[in-house]
Amino acid sequence: MKKTQLVLDVAGVLITNFSPAFWHDTTREDGITFGELKLLFATEIRKPLWTGQMSEEAFWNWLAGYCPVEPKELKTILFNNLHTMPAFDLVPEWSVQTDIHLLSNHRSEWLQMLLDPIRPYLASVTISSDEGCCKPDLPIYHIVASKLDEGKSTIYVDDQAKNLEVC
């Protein structure tokens, strides 16, 4: 029997995203504000970072250019703010009835260790930095679709509505 295909976003569904705590922890009272930094991220580097066009080191240097924090400390702040969410613990149970595929705009080097406990329950993992494209652009959905079991129902879960519009 073919299973339903369940495609889950990672950041914001299974693992915390760049949380407000991350942005607040990287900014200081005497520097750029939380809102300004998030806007700069969205307009200047979001797509290059998520598609792998920008290296991880370049991201830390970019961020350190706006924040009075050393790049090494910024990485520590990020990892201190990445935590599993309640759905993460349900993946083994869900995998009994569904084939679980992950799709995320993220950096694979930031997710690999966090995903290791559920990797045996996953049919596929698609991370934008490895693929050279990111949501909501159509090519990344084609990549995921090529990994799905054809002819079965597919459920897609994402925490951002803009990523559902193309589906």
Side-chain angles (χ1 to χ4, degrees):
M1 180 178 96
K2 293 183 179 182
K3 296 180 179 179
T4 297
Q5 306 298 287
L6 177 59
V7 180
L8 299 172
D9 179 25
V10 177
V13 176
L14 297 178
I15 295 172
T16 53
N17 209 339
F18 272 146
S19 67
F22 169 75
W23 295 111
H24 283 295
D25 290 350
T26 58
T27 58
R28 302 286 194 252
E29 290 179 18
D30 61 343
I32 193 168
T33 68
F34 160 77
E36 291 169 331
L37 187 57
K38 271 191 76 171
L39 181 61
L40 286 168
F41 175 84
T43 58
E44 290 185 8
I45 64 155
R46 176 196 162 280
K47 195 164 189 170
L49 178 66
W50 291 153
T51 60
Q53 295 169 0
M54 171 184 263
S55 70
E56 180 186 17
E57 180 182 355
F59 168 70
W60 296 124
N61 291 331
W62 174 87
L63 191 55
Y66 289 105
C67 304
V69 181
E70 292 298 316
K72 187 175 180 179
E73 185 183 345
L74 290 168
K75 191 171 186 174
T76 300
I77 292 169
L78 172 70
F79 284 107
N80 287 340
N81 282 285
L82 289 178
H83 306 283
T84 60
M85 298 175 72
F88 185 91
D89 295 328
L90 297 171
V91 167
E93 181 182 333
W94 291 343
S95 72
V96 173
Q97 296 183 6
T98 65
D99 288 332
I100 300 177
H101 304 267
L102 302 185
L103 169 60
S104 190
N105 283 351
H106 224 293
R107 300 292 304 200
S108 59
E109 58 266 52
W110 298 347
L111 292 180
Q112 294 305 329
M113 209 164 45
L114 291 165
L115 295 177
D116 280 348
I118 61 169
R119 200 164 298 280
Y121 307 101
L122 304 176
S124 72
V125 177
T126 305
I127 301 173
S128 62
S129 68
D130 294 336
E131 300 299 338
C133 52
C134 64
K135 300 180 289 181
D137 297 336
L138 203 52
I140 200 153
Y141 298 102
H142 289 300
I143 292 167
V144 172
S146 73
K147 299 174 182 182
L148 301 177
D149 193 351
E150 286 187 40
K152 292 312 288 179
S153 298
T154 301
I155 300 168
Y156 175 49
V157 179
D158 198 300
D159 66 318
Q160 296 189 35
K162 69 181 179 184
N163 294 331
L164 299 171
E165 293 172 8
V166 258
C167 296

PDB file of all heavy atoms in Angstrom, residues 41-74:
ATOM      1  N   PHE A  41      18.098  41.738   6.449  1.00  0.00           N
ATOM      2  CA  PHE A  41      18.234  40.324   6.103  1.00  0.00           C
ATOM      3  C   PHE A  41      17.324  39.992   4.919  1.00  0.00           C
ATOM      4  O   PHE A  41      17.758  39.385   3.941  1.00  0.00           O
ATOM      5  CB  PHE A  41      17.895  39.437   7.303  1.00  0.00           C
ATOM      6  CG  PHE A  41      17.893  37.971   6.980  1.00  0.00           C
ATOM      7  CD1 PHE A  41      19.073  37.254   6.996  1.00  0.00           C
ATOM      8  CD2 PHE A  41      16.718  37.319   6.641  1.00  0.00           C
ATOM      9  CE1 PHE A  41      19.086  35.896   6.678  1.00  0.00           C
ATOM     10  CE2 PHE A  41      16.715  35.965   6.326  1.00  0.00           C
ATOM     11  CZ  PHE A  41      17.905  35.255   6.347  1.00  0.00           C
ATOM     12  N   ALA A  42      16.064  40.388   5.020  1.00  0.00           N
ATOM     13  CA  ALA A  42      15.085  40.061   3.977  1.00  0.00           C
ATOM     14  C   ALA A  42      15.448  40.685   2.630  1.00  0.00           C
ATOM     15  O   ALA A  42      15.276  40.055   1.584  1.00  0.00           O
ATOM     16  CB  ALA A  42      13.693  40.500   4.416  1.00  0.00           C
ATOM     17  N   THR A  43      15.959  41.902   2.648  1.00  0.00           N
ATOM     18  CA  THR A  43      16.212  42.607   1.390  1.00  0.00           C
ATOM     19  C   THR A  43      17.613  42.382   0.827  1.00  0.00           C
ATOM     20  O   THR A  43      17.796  42.418  -0.380  1.00  0.00           O
ATOM     21  CB  THR A  43      15.967  44.125   1.552  1.00  0.00           C
ATOM     22  OG1 THR A  43      16.814  44.626   2.592  1.00  0.00           O
ATOM     23  CG2 THR A  43      14.515  44.412   1.874  1.00  0.00           C
ATOM     24  N   GLU A  44      18.582  42.142   1.691  1.00  0.00           N
ATOM     25  CA  GLU A  44      19.965  42.051   1.216  1.00  0.00           C
ATOM     26  C   GLU A  44      20.479  40.625   1.014  1.00  0.00           C
ATOM     27  O   GLU A  44      21.198  40.363   0.058  1.00  0.00           O
ATOM     28  CB  GLU A  44      20.923  42.766   2.184  1.00  0.00           C
ATOM     29  CG  GLU A  44      20.778  44.262   2.177  1.00  0.00           C
ATOM     30  CD  GLU A  44      21.818  44.956   3.051  1.00  0.00           C
ATOM     31  OE1 GLU A  44      22.749  44.287   3.558  1.00  0.00           O
ATOM     32  OE2 GLU A  44      21.692  46.177   3.228  1.00  0.00           O
ATOM     33  N   ILE A  45      20.152  39.724   1.917  1.00  0.00           N
ATOM     34  CA  ILE A  45      20.853  38.439   1.843  1.00  0.00           C
ATOM     35  C   ILE A  45      19.981  37.198   1.973  1.00  0.00           C
ATOM     36  O   ILE A  45      20.488  36.089   1.861  1.00  0.00           O
ATOM     37  CB  ILE A  45      21.976  38.360   2.893  1.00  0.00           C
ATOM     38  CG1 ILE A  45      21.402  38.406   4.297  1.00  0.00           C
ATOM     39  CG2 ILE A  45      23.013  39.423   2.679  1.00  0.00           C
ATOM     40  CD1 ILE A  45      22.317  37.741   5.286  1.00  0.00           C
ATOM     41  N   ARG A  46      18.710  37.334   2.207  1.00  0.00           N
ATOM     42  CA  ARG A  46      17.860  36.167   2.391  1.00  0.00           C
ATOM     43  C   ARG A  46      18.056  35.139   1.277  1.00  0.00           C
ATOM     44  O   ARG A  46      18.390  33.983   1.525  1.00  0.00           O
ATOM     45  CB  ARG A  46      16.387  36.582   2.485  1.00  0.00           C
ATOM     46  CG  ARG A  46      15.423  35.417   2.588  1.00  0.00           C
ATOM     47  CD  ARG A  46      13.975  35.867   2.270  1.00  0.00           C
ATOM     48  NE  ARG A  46      13.154  34.739   1.960  1.00  0.00           N
ATOM     49  CZ  ARG A  46      13.105  34.104   0.780  1.00  0.00           C
ATOM     50  NH1 ARG A  46      13.844  34.497  -0.223  1.00  0.00           N
ATOM     51  NH2 ARG A  46      12.328  33.061   0.594  1.00  0.00           N
ATOM     52  N   LYS A  47      17.839  35.558   0.053  1.00  0.00           N
ATOM     53  CA  LYS A  47      17.912  34.610  -1.063  1.00  0.00           C
ATOM     54  C   LYS A  47      19.333  34.078  -1.291  1.00  0.00           C
ATOM     55  O   LYS A  47      19.513  32.863  -1.428  1.00  0.00           O
ATOM     56  CB  LYS A  47      17.343  35.231  -2.337  1.00  0.00           C
ATOM     57  CG  LYS A  47      17.052  34.206  -3.405  1.00  0.00           C
ATOM     58  CD  LYS A  47      16.151  34.754  -4.478  1.00  0.00           C
ATOM     59  CE  LYS A  47      15.701  33.640  -5.395  1.00  0.00           C
ATOM     60  NZ  LYS A  47      14.652  34.068  -6.297  1.00  0.00           N
ATOM     61  N   PRO A  48      20.368  34.920  -1.317  1.00  0.00           N
ATOM     62  CA  PRO A  48      21.716  34.351  -1.478  1.00  0.00           C
ATOM     63  C   PRO A  48      22.103  33.374  -0.359  1.00  0.00           C
ATOM     64  O   PRO A  48      22.759  32.367  -0.615  1.00  0.00           O
ATOM     65  CB  PRO A  48      22.634  35.578  -1.471  1.00  0.00           C
ATOM     66  CG  PRO A  48      21.762  36.715  -1.857  1.00  0.00           C
ATOM     67  CD  PRO A  48      20.390  36.378  -1.347  1.00  0.00           C
ATOM     68  N   LEU A  49      21.681  33.652   0.860  1.00  0.00           N
ATOM     69  CA  LEU A  49      21.999  32.757   1.973  1.00  0.00           C
ATOM     70  C   LEU A  49      21.284  31.431   1.813  1.00  0.00           C
ATOM     71  O   LEU A  49      21.881  30.362   1.913  1.00  0.00           O
ATOM     72  CB  LEU A  49      21.621  33.396   3.309  1.00  0.00           C
ATOM     73  CG  LEU A  49      21.877  32.519   4.541  1.00  0.00           C
ATOM     74  CD1 LEU A  49      23.371  32.274   4.739  1.00  0.00           C
ATOM     75  CD2 LEU A  49      21.255  33.150   5.779  1.00  0.00           C
ATOM     76  N   TRP A  50      19.967  31.477   1.555  1.00  0.00           N
ATOM     77  CA  TRP A  50      19.193  30.240   1.478  1.00  0.00           C
ATOM     78  C   TRP A  50      19.508  29.419   0.234  1.00  0.00           C
ATOM     79  O   TRP A  50      19.325  28.204   0.238  1.00  0.00           O
ATOM     80  CB  TRP A  50      17.701  30.528   1.550  1.00  0.00           C
ATOM     81  CG  TRP A  50      17.198  31.025   2.865  1.00  0.00           C
ATOM     82  CD1 TRP A  50      16.102  31.811   3.054  1.00  0.00           C
ATOM     83  CD2 TRP A  50      17.691  30.769   4.192  1.00  0.00           C
ATOM     84  NE1 TRP A  50      15.911  32.075   4.398  1.00  0.00           N
ATOM     85  CE2 TRP A  50      16.878  31.442   5.118  1.00  0.00           C
ATOM     86  CE3 TRP A  50      18.769  30.053   4.689  1.00  0.00           C
ATOM     87  CZ2 TRP A  50      17.089  31.402   6.494  1.00  0.00           C
ATOM     88  CZ3 TRP A  50      18.997  30.014   6.060  1.00  0.00           C
ATOM     89  CH2 TRP A  50      18.161  30.674   6.946  1.00  0.00           C
ATOM     90  N   THR A  51      19.965  30.044  -0.834  1.00  0.00           N
ATOM     91  CA  THR A  51      20.271  29.282  -2.051  1.00  0.00           C
ATOM     92  C   THR A  51      21.720  28.810  -2.107  1.00  0.00           C
ATOM     93  O   THR A  51      22.113  28.166  -3.074  1.00  0.00           O
ATOM     94  CB  THR A  51      19.969  30.112  -3.314  1.00  0.00           C
ATOM     95  OG1 THR A  51      20.779  31.290  -3.289  1.00  0.00           O
ATOM     96  CG2 THR A  51      18.494  30.466  -3.417  1.00  0.00           C
ATOM     97  N   GLY A  52      22.500  29.139  -1.099  1.00  0.00           N
ATOM     98  CA  GLY A  52      23.884  28.709  -1.067  1.00  0.00           C
ATOM     99  C   GLY A  52      24.820  29.578  -1.880  1.00  0.00           C
ATOM    100  O   GLY A  52      26.007  29.287  -1.990  1.00  0.00           O
ATOM    101  N   GLN A  53      24.306  30.663  -2.476  1.00  0.00           N
ATOM    102  CA  GLN A  53      25.167  31.578  -3.229  1.00  0.00           C
ATOM    103  C   GLN A  53      26.073  32.356  -2.282  1.00  0.00           C
ATOM    104  O   GLN A  53      27.140  32.819  -2.680  1.00  0.00           O
ATOM    105  CB  GLN A  53      24.319  32.542  -4.054  1.00  0.00           C
ATOM    106  CG  GLN A  53      23.518  31.861  -5.131  1.00  0.00           C
ATOM    107  CD  GLN A  53      22.495  32.784  -5.767  1.00  0.00           C
ATOM    108  OE1 GLN A  53      22.375  33.950  -5.417  1.00  0.00           O
ATOM    109  NE2 GLN A  53      21.737  32.246  -6.697  1.00  0.00           N
ATOM    110  N   MET A  54      25.645  32.519  -1.039  1.00  0.00           N
ATOM    111  CA  MET A  54      26.443  33.174  -0.009  1.00  0.00           C
ATOM    112  C   MET A  54      26.948  32.081   0.934  1.00  0.00           C
ATOM    113  O   MET A  54      26.169  31.234   1.368  1.00  0.00           O
ATOM    114  CB  MET A  54      25.586  34.180   0.775  1.00  0.00           C
ATOM    115  CG  MET A  54      26.271  34.759   1.995  1.00  0.00           C
ATOM    116  SD  MET A  54      25.177  35.853   2.942  1.00  0.00           S
ATOM    117  CE  MET A  54      25.710  37.424   2.293  1.00  0.00           C
ATOM    118  N   SER A  55      28.222  32.114   1.237  1.00  0.00           N
ATOM    119  CA  SER A  55      28.774  31.116   2.147  1.00  0.00           C
ATOM    120  C   SER A  55      28.330  31.411   3.577  1.00  0.00           C
ATOM    121  O   SER A  55      27.925  32.531   3.906  1.00  0.00           O
ATOM    122  CB  SER A  55      30.308  31.129   2.083  1.00  0.00           C
ATOM    123  OG  SER A  55      30.813  32.321   2.670  1.00  0.00           O
ATOM    124  N   GLU A  56      28.426  30.401   4.405  1.00  0.00           N
ATOM    125  CA  GLU A  56      28.094  30.587   5.812  1.00  0.00           C
ATOM    126  C   GLU A  56      29.006  31.643   6.431  1.00  0.00           C
ATOM    127  O   GLU A  56      28.550  32.525   7.161  1.00  0.00           O
ATOM    128  CB  GLU A  56      28.223  29.260   6.567  1.00  0.00           C
ATOM    129  CG  GLU A  56      27.886  29.399   8.042  1.00  0.00           C
ATOM    130  CD  GLU A  56      28.152  28.139   8.839  1.00  0.00           C
ATOM    131  OE1 GLU A  56      28.883  27.259   8.356  1.00  0.00           O
ATOM    132  OE2 GLU A  56      27.630  28.062   9.963  1.00  0.00           O
ATOM    133  N   GLU A  57      30.291  31.586   6.111  1.00  0.00           N
ATOM    134  CA  GLU A  57      31.237  32.562   6.647  1.00  0.00           C
ATOM    135  C   GLU A  57      30.861  33.984   6.217  1.00  0.00           C
ATOM    136  O   GLU A  57      30.935  34.923   7.021  1.00  0.00           O
ATOM    137  CB  GLU A  57      32.653  32.225   6.176  1.00  0.00           C
ATOM    138  CG  GLU A  57      33.695  33.198   6.693  1.00  0.00           C
ATOM    139  CD  GLU A  57      35.095  32.889   6.174  1.00  0.00           C
ATOM    140  OE1 GLU A  57      35.284  31.873   5.483  1.00  0.00           O
ATOM    141  OE2 GLU A  57      36.000  33.685   6.467  1.00  0.00           O
ATOM    142  N   ALA A  58      30.461  34.148   4.969  1.00  0.00           N
ATOM    143  CA  ALA A  58      30.056  35.475   4.483  1.00  0.00           C
ATOM    144  C   ALA A  58      28.825  35.972   5.239  1.00  0.00           C
ATOM    145  O   ALA A  58      28.710  37.174   5.531  1.00  0.00           O
ATOM    146  CB  ALA A  58      29.783  35.433   2.984  1.00  0.00           C
ATOM    147  N   PHE A  59      27.905  35.051   5.572  1.00  0.00           N
ATOM    148  CA  PHE A  59      26.734  35.450   6.360  1.00  0.00           C
ATOM    149  C   PHE A  59      27.153  35.969   7.728  1.00  0.00           C
ATOM    150  O   PHE A  59      26.697  37.017   8.168  1.00  0.00           O
ATOM    151  CB  PHE A  59      25.753  34.291   6.526  1.00  0.00           C
ATOM    152  CG  PHE A  59      24.702  34.561   7.561  1.00  0.00           C
ATOM    153  CD1 PHE A  59      23.705  35.505   7.337  1.00  0.00           C
ATOM    154  CD2 PHE A  59      24.709  33.893   8.781  1.00  0.00           C
ATOM    155  CE1 PHE A  59      22.735  35.773   8.301  1.00  0.00           C
ATOM    156  CE2 PHE A  59      23.745  34.147   9.747  1.00  0.00           C
ATOM    157  CZ  PHE A  59      22.753  35.096   9.504  1.00  0.00           C
ATOM    158  N   TRP A  60      28.029  35.226   8.417  1.00  0.00           N
ATOM    159  CA  TRP A  60      28.443  35.660   9.752  1.00  0.00           C
ATOM    160  C   TRP A  60      29.159  37.005   9.681  1.00  0.00           C
ATOM    161  O   TRP A  60      28.959  37.864  10.533  1.00  0.00           O
ATOM    162  CB  TRP A  60      29.333  34.614  10.419  1.00  0.00           C
ATOM    163  CG  TRP A  60      28.622  33.322  10.664  1.00  0.00           C
ATOM    164  CD1 TRP A  60      29.002  32.090  10.234  1.00  0.00           C
ATOM    165  CD2 TRP A  60      27.392  33.123  11.375  1.00  0.00           C
ATOM    166  NE1 TRP A  60      28.092  31.137  10.632  1.00  0.00           N
ATOM    167  CE2 TRP A  60      27.092  31.741  11.338  1.00  0.00           C
ATOM    168  CE3 TRP A  60      26.513  33.966  12.039  1.00  0.00           C
ATOM    169  CZ2 TRP A  60      25.961  31.187  11.941  1.00  0.00           C
ATOM    170  CZ3 TRP A  60      25.380  33.420  12.639  1.00  0.00           C
ATOM    171  CH2 TRP A  60      25.116  32.061  12.582  1.00  0.00           C
ATOM    172  N   ASN A  61      29.976  37.198   8.651  1.00  0.00           N
ATOM    173  CA  ASN A  61      30.664  38.479   8.492  1.00  0.00           C
ATOM    174  C   ASN A  61      29.694  39.601   8.180  1.00  0.00           C
ATOM    175  O   ASN A  61      29.844  40.718   8.681  1.00  0.00           O
ATOM    176  CB  ASN A  61      31.753  38.377   7.420  1.00  0.00           C
ATOM    177  CG  ASN A  61      32.912  37.511   7.872  1.00  0.00           C
ATOM    178  OD1 ASN A  61      33.209  37.422   9.060  1.00  0.00           O
ATOM    179  ND2 ASN A  61      33.556  36.854   6.933  1.00  0.00           N
ATOM    180  N   TRP A  62      28.679  39.320   7.335  1.00  0.00           N
ATOM    181  CA  TRP A  62      27.654  40.319   7.037  1.00  0.00           C
ATOM    182  C   TRP A  62      26.941  40.724   8.328  1.00  0.00           C
ATOM    183  O   TRP A  62      26.780  41.909   8.606  1.00  0.00           O
ATOM    184  CB  TRP A  62      26.635  39.746   6.042  1.00  0.00           C
ATOM    185  CG  TRP A  62      25.468  40.648   5.781  1.00  0.00           C
ATOM    186  CD1 TRP A  62      25.396  41.649   4.842  1.00  0.00           C
ATOM    187  CD2 TRP A  62      24.207  40.653   6.467  1.00  0.00           C
ATOM    188  NE1 TRP A  62      24.168  42.268   4.911  1.00  0.00           N
ATOM    189  CE2 TRP A  62      23.419  41.679   5.900  1.00  0.00           C
ATOM    190  CE3 TRP A  62      23.671  39.898   7.497  1.00  0.00           C
ATOM    191  CZ2 TRP A  62      22.134  41.965   6.325  1.00  0.00           C
ATOM    192  CZ3 TRP A  62      22.392  40.181   7.929  1.00  0.00           C
ATOM    193  CH2 TRP A  62      21.634  41.202   7.348  1.00  0.00           C
ATOM    194  N   LEU A  63      26.530  39.734   9.099  1.00  0.00           N
ATOM    195  CA  LEU A  63      25.807  40.006  10.335  1.00  0.00           C
ATOM    196  C   LEU A  63      26.679  40.770  11.336  1.00  0.00           C
ATOM    197  O   LEU A  63      26.224  41.731  11.967  1.00  0.00           O
ATOM    198  CB  LEU A  63      25.306  38.694  10.946  1.00  0.00           C
ATOM    199  CG  LEU A  63      24.314  38.778  12.088  1.00  0.00           C
ATOM    200  CD1 LEU A  63      23.080  39.593  11.710  1.00  0.00           C
ATOM    201  CD2 LEU A  63      23.898  37.372  12.526  1.00  0.00           C
ATOM    202  N   ALA A  64      27.937  40.383  11.459  1.00  0.00           N
ATOM    203  CA  ALA A  64      28.858  41.062  12.376  1.00  0.00           C
ATOM    204  C   ALA A  64      29.082  42.514  11.960  1.00  0.00           C
ATOM    205  O   ALA A  64      29.371  43.362  12.806  1.00  0.00           O
ATOM    206  CB  ALA A  64      30.185  40.314  12.438  1.00  0.00           C
ATOM    207  N   GLY A  65      28.914  42.795  10.668  1.00  0.00           N
ATOM    208  CA  GLY A  65      29.045  44.170  10.198  1.00  0.00           C
ATOM    209  C   GLY A  65      27.954  45.087  10.728  1.00  0.00           C
ATOM    210  O   GLY A  65      28.127  46.302  10.777  1.00  0.00           O
ATOM    211  N   TYR A  66      26.845  44.528  11.111  1.00  0.00           N
ATOM    212  CA  TYR A  66      25.727  45.314  11.658  1.00  0.00           C
ATOM    213  C   TYR A  66      25.599  45.186  13.171  1.00  0.00           C
ATOM    214  O   TYR A  66      24.913  45.985  13.802  1.00  0.00           O
ATOM    215  CB  TYR A  66      24.400  44.874  11.028  1.00  0.00           C
ATOM    216  CG  TYR A  66      24.255  45.288   9.595  1.00  0.00           C
ATOM    217  CD1 TYR A  66      24.394  44.354   8.571  1.00  0.00           C
ATOM    218  CD2 TYR A  66      23.999  46.611   9.259  1.00  0.00           C
ATOM    219  CE1 TYR A  66      24.262  44.729   7.244  1.00  0.00           C
ATOM    220  CE2 TYR A  66      23.876  47.001   7.937  1.00  0.00           C
ATOM    221  CZ  TYR A  66      24.011  46.052   6.939  1.00  0.00           C
ATOM    222  OH  TYR A  66      23.884  46.432   5.629  1.00  0.00           O
ATOM    223  N   CYS A  67      26.206  44.170  13.734  1.00  0.00           N
ATOM    224  CA  CYS A  67      26.021  43.884  15.156  1.00  0.00           C
ATOM    225  C   CYS A  67      27.364  43.950  15.885  1.00  0.00           C
ATOM    226  O   CYS A  67      28.366  43.496  15.347  1.00  0.00           O
ATOM    227  CB  CYS A  67      25.443  42.477  15.341  1.00  0.00           C
ATOM    228  SG  CYS A  67      23.915  42.217  14.456  1.00  0.00           S
ATOM    229  N   PRO A  68      27.363  44.449  17.085  1.00  0.00           N
ATOM    230  CA  PRO A  68      28.615  44.503  17.849  1.00  0.00           C
ATOM    231  C   PRO A  68      28.950  43.155  18.503  1.00  0.00           C
ATOM    232  O   PRO A  68      29.212  43.072  19.696  1.00  0.00           O
ATOM    233  CB  PRO A  68      28.316  45.585  18.894  1.00  0.00           C
ATOM    234  CG  PRO A  68      26.849  45.492  19.115  1.00  0.00           C
ATOM    235  CD  PRO A  68      26.261  45.085  17.785  1.00  0.00           C
ATOM    236  N   VAL A  69      28.901  42.096  17.696  1.00  0.00           N
ATOM    237  CA  VAL A  69      29.147  40.746  18.188  1.00  0.00           C
ATOM    238  C   VAL A  69      30.082  40.056  17.196  1.00  0.00           C
ATOM    239  O   VAL A  69      29.922  40.202  15.983  1.00  0.00           O
ATOM    240  CB  VAL A  69      27.820  39.945  18.309  1.00  0.00           C
ATOM    241  CG1 VAL A  69      28.054  38.557  18.843  1.00  0.00           C
ATOM    242  CG2 VAL A  69      26.799  40.690  19.155  1.00  0.00           C
ATOM    243  N   GLU A  70      31.042  39.315  17.695  1.00  0.00           N
ATOM    244  CA  GLU A  70      31.989  38.592  16.837  1.00  0.00           C
ATOM    245  C   GLU A  70      31.279  37.450  16.094  1.00  0.00           C
ATOM    246  O   GLU A  70      30.363  36.832  16.647  1.00  0.00           O
ATOM    247  CB  GLU A  70      33.134  38.022  17.673  1.00  0.00           C
ATOM    248  CG  GLU A  70      34.039  39.089  18.254  1.00  0.00           C
ATOM    249  CD  GLU A  70      34.733  39.906  17.183  1.00  0.00           C
ATOM    250  OE1 GLU A  70      35.238  39.325  16.198  1.00  0.00           O
ATOM    251  OE2 GLU A  70      34.744  41.148  17.312  1.00  0.00           O
ATOM    252  N   PRO A  71      31.715  37.145  14.852  1.00  0.00           N
ATOM    253  CA  PRO A  71      31.073  36.063  14.085  1.00  0.00           C
ATOM    254  C   PRO A  71      30.965  34.734  14.849  1.00  0.00           C
ATOM    255  O   PRO A  71      29.944  34.060  14.779  1.00  0.00           O
ATOM    256  CB  PRO A  71      31.971  35.932  12.853  1.00  0.00           C
ATOM    257  CG  PRO A  71      32.523  37.305  12.665  1.00  0.00           C
ATOM    258  CD  PRO A  71      32.741  37.832  14.066  1.00  0.00           C
ATOM    259  N   LYS A  72      32.013  34.352  15.586  1.00  0.00           N
ATOM    260  CA  LYS A  72      31.978  33.087  16.325  1.00  0.00           C
ATOM    261  C   LYS A  72      30.864  33.113  17.377  1.00  0.00           C
ATOM    262  O   LYS A  72      30.156  32.127  17.580  1.00  0.00           O
ATOM    263  CB  LYS A  72      33.327  32.826  16.983  1.00  0.00           C
ATOM    264  CG  LYS A  72      33.431  31.468  17.621  1.00  0.00           C
ATOM    265  CD  LYS A  72      34.831  31.214  18.160  1.00  0.00           C
ATOM    266  CE  LYS A  72      34.899  29.841  18.793  1.00  0.00           C
ATOM    267  NZ  LYS A  72      36.226  29.551  19.295  1.00  0.00           N
ATOM    268  N   GLU A  73      30.699  34.241  18.047  1.00  0.00           N
ATOM    269  CA  GLU A  73      29.637  34.371  19.053  1.00  0.00           C
ATOM    270  C   GLU A  73      28.257  34.351  18.392  1.00  0.00           C
ATOM    271  O   GLU A  73      27.310  33.802  18.947  1.00  0.00           O
ATOM    272  CB  GLU A  73      29.815  35.658  19.862  1.00  0.00           C
ATOM    273  CG  GLU A  73      28.824  35.790  20.997  1.00  0.00           C
ATOM    274  CD  GLU A  73      28.954  37.101  21.769  1.00  0.00           C
ATOM    275  OE1 GLU A  73      29.972  37.795  21.621  1.00  0.00           O
ATOM    276  OE2 GLU A  73      28.002  37.427  22.501  1.00  0.00           O
ATOM    277  N   LEU A  74      28.148  34.931  17.190  1.00  0.00           N
ATOM    278  CA  LEU A  74      26.870  34.929  16.474  1.00  0.00           C
ATOM    279  C   LEU A  74      26.414  33.504  16.172  1.00  0.00           C
ATOM    280  O   LEU A  74      25.236  33.177  16.306  1.00  0.00           O
ATOM    281  CB  LEU A  74      26.988  35.736  15.176  1.00  0.00           C
ATOM    282  CG  LEU A  74      27.134  37.240  15.349  1.00  0.00           C
ATOM    283  CD1 LEU A  74      27.542  37.888  14.028  1.00  0.00           C
ATOM    284  CD2 LEU A  74      25.854  37.855  15.884  1.00  0.00           C
TER     285      LEU A  74
END
